Structure formats: C-alpha cells, structure tokens
Amino acid sequence: MKTKKDLSITFMGVKFPNPFCLSSSPVGNCYDMCAKAYELGWGGVVFKTIGPKHYLIDEVSPRFDSLTKESEPFVGFKNMEQIAEHSLEENLADLRRLKKNYPNQVLIASIMGSNEEDWCELARLVTEAGADMIELNFSCPQMTSHAMGSDVGSNPELCKKYCEAVRRSTKLPFMAKMTPNITDMCIPALASIEGGADGIAAINTIKSIINIDLEKKVGLPIINGKSSISGYSGKAVKPIALRFIQQMKTNPKLKDVEISGIGGIENWEDAAEFILLGCKTLQITTAIMQYGYRIIEDLTDGLRHYMEKEGVDHLEDLVGLANKNIIPAEELDRDYKVYPEINEDKCIGCGRCVISCYDGAHQAMKWDEEERRPFCDTTKCVGCLLCGLVCPVGAINAGERVLKENRKPKNLKKIILQDSFQKL
C-alpha cells in the first residue's frame, strides 16, 4: 500500500508532482517517448536538446558501450550520441503537442546554440511552443563543433554571455547544465547565474574512453575501425556528481541557487542522496535505458517509504539536510579510531578480510588456524575498516571506539553520543 506522502516540489517557481524527470538524452527524443513517461507518472520531461536549424546532426553507428564489473551488466555507460537528430520544426511541433495534450505536466525544453543569435532564437521558439522552463546545454562532451557543448561549459565568459542572450529572449525560468569536465564547477555556475540563469543542472556526462578492444586495439564502440572520447554516465558517476553538487551548495555565492541533480541515479536511495545534498529535481537517463520508464514506480514508492521512516510529510523538508555534515578534510575529528567487530554467527570463515588487510591495509586481521576464523590484532589495527567492506556476508561491523594515544577524552564522548554513526 502506498504511503500518503507529498512528493511534490517547487523548482525555479514551477511545481512538479514529484522530483523525477527524464533528462535531456535519448530517453526523451520525441513526442511518443515523453507522452509515455507522463502517463507512467514521471514528474517532468527535459526534451532532448534542440539545436539551431543550421546545425546538421549526423550520428555514428554503433554509439553505445557499457562498463561491467563481475556480475554487474551496467556499472558505467558510454554514449556517443549528440543532440536531437530531428529537424527544428519537428522538435517544436512535438513540444507544442506535448503541452496541448498534457497541459498540467512539466515540460522543459533543452536548447544548445553556437552563438548568441542561436541562443536567442531557440529560447524564443521553445517559449512560443509552450515550454514551462528551459535548460541550457553547456555540457554535452561529444559535439563535433567546439562552439557547442562542454567547450562552452568550461568557459565562464561564454556561459554568462549565452545566459544573458537567453534572458533577453524569454521570461521563462531557465537553468544552465554544467559539465563535469572541469576542476571547479562553481566558476561557470556562478557566471551562469550572473548572466540570468535561475538554477543549475548538474552533472552532464564525463569525457571517457570506456573500453579498449585488446585484439583490434581500438576503443569501444568501434566505428569503421576507430573510436573517440565521449560521455560516460551510469552508477559509476554518482560520487562525482554528488561532489560537484556539494561544492556548489556550500559555496557562499551559490548556496541558495536551486539545483536539478543528474548523474547515476538508479534507485530511490540514490535519489534521496541527491535531495539530501540540496537538489530539488532529479534527472535520469542511463537507468531508463537499461530498465525502462517503469522504474518510476520504485523511485516514488521508495522515496515515500523513506519519508515515512524519517517522519517527514513533505519532500521539501528533506532538501539539503546533509550539506552541513560534509566538511573540509582538515576539520574532521582525528582523535579516535574504530576497531572492527566480528559477528561469529555470520562469519563463514572465508578469509577475505585477512587477505585484504594483509595485502591492502595494515596486516591487522589475523587467522586462527585452529578455529578457522579471523580475529583482529588491535596493536596493529588503524581502524580503516577495509575488512568490513570486503566481507561478502556483512559479518564485520564498526565496534569499539578508542582514543588515539595522548588524545583527550572529550572528543570521544562527543562521538559516542552521535546517533549518525553508521555500522558498515
């Protein structure tokens, strides 16, 4: 039974029935795809990026590849596809049709130009077509023109100039979609806000070479014997996305700017993490490409149950709760260490912890030959807890907390009282 929780959220002045949106990508490429997403309950659609009439899209084939690990079929995903391949007229017609048939659903037009005139014209056209808001794609890493995509997003001056151009052409709220192919995202994000953007979308895909064919000695996918660098997405990019979002939300000049989070969201737990770091809406591509639009039911149900557990009735109340708990490394408490605690009932005696500790940590986990069980030599243990991470059955948790030598006990007492300490 579904819990009665309010998943609606207001982002850049527009109310969404829930935070989940199709991101600007192959998953929202035409009317039929977006209509199906609306019907299944997605909170909004970012229509695949629309380019200027003069820019010809000519795609390669094949254009996808995946990164796997052990039994996982999809850890990361490589996409060489560019912006919408349909004509400008077709794309605008689809926008108008979507707004006519789904007037109460949120429709976001993604646009990308190569100069100020392009940005002005595209903003005007999608506004006239009925979009509720606009996303400026400053970040696609596989465009064939250096005047478009991530080369723009890494140039703060261009970000500001193109945002100013769009602001002159529309009264709609708009966000700038940032590239992660940069050291400090705060710089172009701030430039975009100064240029008139109302919010930020982050992150787009990461420039990558995902695999190499060892026999043919060429990257994958192979296009007539060659390959190229292009965008990397999927679960593997989530930590990078969260890092950039946290940095923006803790920047004094950007902390109040609203963010649409993107990057490796597959399930409700991922979604909750982005929300707790300050995102108001969430955009998804790779998980849809793997599992289909049907994941929306698990996303919304899972988020409702999490809200129930947290005693929260409105999703808005969760936004940004984790930002204050992520601090600079030099401010972390270094006065204590935590020894591992082995659950003898769960332990299967596989020895994984001993091997990993000896070969990859501090040789503190020992092997009892007689009992065929591991134990911890606390004289060597530094409390890294690698052993718990490699245990295949979850038999090792965080145990006793002890002060380091010559440290004062006041900090230890503070730590013990914290409810947020999590076991592995």
Side-chain angles (χ1 to χ4, degrees), residues 333-384:
D333 190 337
R334 299 174 185 271
D335 288 338
Y336 73 99
K337 58 183 174 181
V338 181
Y339 292 136
E341 181 178 79
I342 303 171
N343 186 324
E344 298 293 343
D345 293 331
K346 284 187 177 182
C347 179
I348 59 174
C350 67
R352 274 288 296 277
C353 58
V354 178
I355 294 170
S356 290
C357 183
Y358 194 94
D359 293 357
H362 296 271
Q363 299 82 51
M365 293 299 288
K366 304 297 185 182
W367 185 252
D368 186 326
E369 291 286 354
E370 185 175 331
E371 297 292 332
R372 303 293 298 170
R373 285 290 186 272
F375 66 94
C376 179
D377 179 355
T378 56
T379 64
K380 291 188 174 182
C381 182
V382 299
C384 72

Side-chain angles (χ1 to χ4, degrees), residues 283-304:
Q283 299 185 35
I284 301 176
T285 286
T286 308
I288 296 174
M289 296 178 78
Q290 188 174 10
Y291 302 111
Y293 299 131
R294 64 192 176 93
I295 63 172
I296 189 59
E297 185 172 345
D298 290 336
L299 292 168
T300 52
D301 283 355
L303 208 49
R304 287 191 186 96

Side-chain angles (χ1 to χ4, degrees), residues 138-348:
F138 291 159
S139 46
C140 180
Q142 54 255 12
M143 299 303 295
T144 57
S145 168
H146 292 289
M148 302 169 77
S150 60
D151 287 347
V152 172
S154 57
N155 186 321
E157 290 76 19
L158 285 180
C159 289
K160 183 177 181 180
K161 181 169 72 172
Y162 291 157
C163 283
E164 290 172 340
V166 169
R167 180 47 69 212
R168 291 195 298 269
S169 304
T170 184
K171 293 182 179 180
L172 291 180
F174 68 86
M175 54 184 155
K177 188 173 183 180
M178 297 286 99
T179 176
N181 302 297
I182 191 170
T183 303
D184 188 351
M185 190 177 288
C186 293
I187 297 172
L190 181 58
S192 299
I193 297 300
E194 290 173 346
D198 300 284
I200 295 296
I203 60 173
N204 207 326
T205 54
I206 301 167
K207 289 184 177 182
S208 70
I209 297 174
I210 197 169
N211 291 304
I212 298 288
D213 186 304
L214 298 183
E215 294 184 358
K216 297 178 181 178
K217 300 174 182 61
V218 61
L220 298 176
I222 300 172
I223 298 97
N224 195 22
K226 303 292 182 183
S227 191
S228 70
I229 293 171
S230 65
Y232 181 53
S233 64
K235 191 80 165 185
V237 310
K238 185 185 77 168
I240 300 168
L242 294 176
R243 163 234 166 168
F244 279 120
I245 289 164
Q246 172 67 11
Q247 288 176 324
M248 286 189 286
K249 293 305 291 185
T250 52
N251 182 294
K253 295 181 179 180
L254 292 170
K255 63 184 179 65
D256 296 324
V257 173
E258 296 185 337
I259 296 178
S260 184
I262 318 167
I265 301 171
E266 288 190 357
N267 53 44
W268 71 264
E269 290 101 333
D270 299 329
E273 291 175 27
F274 277 79
I275 291 167
L276 290 172
L277 279 189
C279 296
K280 292 195 123 186
T281 60
L282 309 167
Q283 299 185 35
I284 301 176
T285 286
T286 308
I288 296 174
M289 296 178 78
Q290 188 174 10
Y291 302 111
Y293 299 131
R294 64 192 176 93
I295 63 172
I296 189 59
E297 185 172 345
D298 290 336
L299 292 168
T300 52
D301 283 355
L303 208 49
R304 287 191 186 96
H305 283 290
Y306 176 65
M307 292 169 65
E308 181 76 27
K309 179 183 175 183
E310 294 295 307
V312 171
D313 291 324
H314 304 284
L315 187 62
E316 295 265 6
D317 295 334
L318 291 175
V319 176
L321 294 185
N323 291 127
K324 66 180 184 297
N325 295 323
I326 300 175
I327 60 178
E330 62 271 19
E331 296 178 18
L332 291 172
D333 190 337
R334 299 174 185 271
D335 288 338
Y336 73 99
K337 58 183 174 181
V338 181
Y339 292 136
E341 181 178 79
I342 303 171
N343 186 324
E344 298 293 343
D345 293 331
K346 284 187 177 182
C347 179
I348 59 174

Side-chain angles (χ1 to χ4, degrees), residues 8 22 50 74 149 267 269 271 327 411:
S8 68
L22 308 188
I50 299 171
F74 242 73
N267 53 44
E269 290 101 333
I327 60 178
N411 288 340

